[in-house]
Amino acid sequence: MNNVGLFVALAVPLAFLTLLIFWTATDAMKRGKPPLLVCLLVVLSFPFGLLAWLVFRPQTETPDKRRFNLEDYRRG
């Protein structure tokens, strides 16, 4: 396999994984759920974890005052 083929073989799945993690984390924060736990569920049990998140996630986004705030989470 030449270098371009190797790059594509590694870059495409890595880009997909990055986008999946980013989307999952932002969606979880909008819905008031801890993004780290949701990302771990989705990534470690892909594709079943993604399907489970899409089926069982809260249907409506939480109001701004109830959103998951990463700064509050870091403070403890």
Side-chain angles (χ1 to χ4, degrees):
M1 185 180 279
N2 59 14
N3 289 339
V4 175
L6 181 62
F7 175 75
V8 171
L10 294 175
V12 170
L14 187 60
F16 175 75
L17 181 65
T18 303
L19 289 173
L20 179 67
I21 291 171
F22 178 75
W23 175 81
T24 305
T26 55
D27 190 53
M29 282 190 280
K30 286 179 186 176
R31 296 171 189 276
K33 302 298 178 191
L36 180 62
L37 294 177
V38 175
C39 285
L40 285 174
L41 167 79
V42 169
V43 171
L44 294 178
S45 60
F46 184 80
F48 303 111
L50 178 62
L51 183 62
W53 174 246
L54 291 173
V55 170
F56 296 114
R57 69 184 180 168
Q59 292 299 317
T60 56
E61 293 182 5
T62 57
D64 286 340
K65 61 184 175 181
R66 294 191 60 205
R67 278 191 179 179
F68 185 86
N69 188 350
L70 192 56
E71 294 301 321
D72 291 342
Y73 183 73
R74 286 180 182 161
R75 282 186 237 148

